Amino acid sequence: EDQVTQSPEALRLQEGESSSLNCSYTVSGLRGLFWYRQDPGKGPEFLFTLYSAGEEKEKERLKATLTKKESFLHITAPKPEDSATYLCAGGYNKLIFGAGTRLAVHP
Amino acid sequence: KAGVTQTPRYLIKTRGQQVTLSCSPISGHRSVSWYQQTPGQGLQFLFEYFSETQRNKGNFPGRFSGRQFSNSRSEMNVSTLELGDSALYLCASSLGMVGKNIQYFGAGTRLSVL
């Protein structure tokens, strides 16, 4: 059965304290691995798509990487405005989402 | 460019009633997908429509149905509402094949079933 698992469930960081979020997947025929950010009461906001192992993408303080079994979202020197739930998803003809990592960044 | 628009934003219904939710995709996007988000189950795929045809379906009962119009706008219907249907319903649109193309989400419709 196709599955996407994220860890940790929740992460509390001090401002400036870098860390990584993990997304492991077992998805047949994975076409792309997607990262989204979701703020309370809002829909998911697209961050990155990764298509092949070894691929990396960066945006401001965020960097996403992909291997054959997992993806990481690295957050460098986070700020309080980075606080959100981060979701990863992948699939062949539909997206299967992980449960998300709730990130809280404190000043 | 306008994003994905969902209406209404909030709905309160009682058990046994039916409800229709609406989604207007980004201009030019022909694929519309619907998801249910709950605290316990997370984001779960309901179905996807492309050019007025249902292309994929998730594991939800037949009470959940949808359709897509020629202008790509989509509606989702839930009949005989149950308490467990209370959730945030999200619509997402993309240019083409889900799984490969970026899906852009609307703000969702919060449905409460009493």
Side-chain angles (χ1 to χ4, degrees), chain A residues 31-32 36 38 51 92-93, chain B residues 37 56 97-100 103 106:
Chain A
R31 285 191 165 132
Y36 287 87
Q38 187 174 25
Y51 292 107
Y92 177 72
N93 56 9
Chain B
Q37 187 174 32
N56 291 298
M97 190 72 70
V98 175
K100 186 174 183 179
Q103 287 198 299

Side-chain angles (χ1 to χ4, degrees), chain A residues 58-98:
Chain A
E58 281 188 74
K59 179 181 178 182
E60 296 180 355
R61 297 177 292 283
L62 299 177
K63 178 180 177 181
T65 62
L66 182 67
T67 72
K68 289 186 177 179
K69 293 184 178 180
E70 57 191 350
S71 178
F72 292 93
L73 184 65
H74 307 278
I75 304 177
T76 302
K79 298 182 177 182
E81 52 262 42
D82 294 323
S83 298
T85 295
Y86 290 86
L87 299 162
C88 74
Y92 177 72
N93 56 9
K94 63 181 182 183
L95 283 188
I96 299 166
F97 278 83

Side-chain angles (χ1 to χ4, degrees), chain B residues 38-95:
Chain B
T38 59
Q41 299 297 319
L43 261 159
Q44 291 187 290
F45 173 77
L46 281 156
F47 31 66
E48 183 219 356
Y49 285 86
F50 184 88
S51 293
E52 303 180 65
T53 301
Q54 187 180 90
R55 194 155 65 171
N56 291 298
K57 191 176 189 307
N59 298 324
F60 279 81
R63 299 185 296 108
F64 292 83
S65 63
R67 59 177 175 168
Q68 187 179 33
F69 302 95
S70 58
N71 61 359
S72 292
R73 191 176 70 83
S74 177
E75 288 182 347
M76 188 191 105
N77 185 76
V78 188
S79 63
T80 319
L81 284 166
E82 301 177 359
L83 294 178
D85 296 333
S86 294
L88 179 66
Y89 289 88
L90 292 160
C91 166
S93 75
S94 64
L95 279 171

Side-chain angles (χ1 to χ4, degrees), chain A residues 6 18 20 24-25 31 61 77-78 84-85 93 95 98-100 104-105:
Chain A
Q6 292 187 247
S18 301
S20 296
S24 62
Y25 61 90
R31 285 191 165 132
R61 297 177 292 283
T85 295
N93 56 9
L95 283 188
V105 182

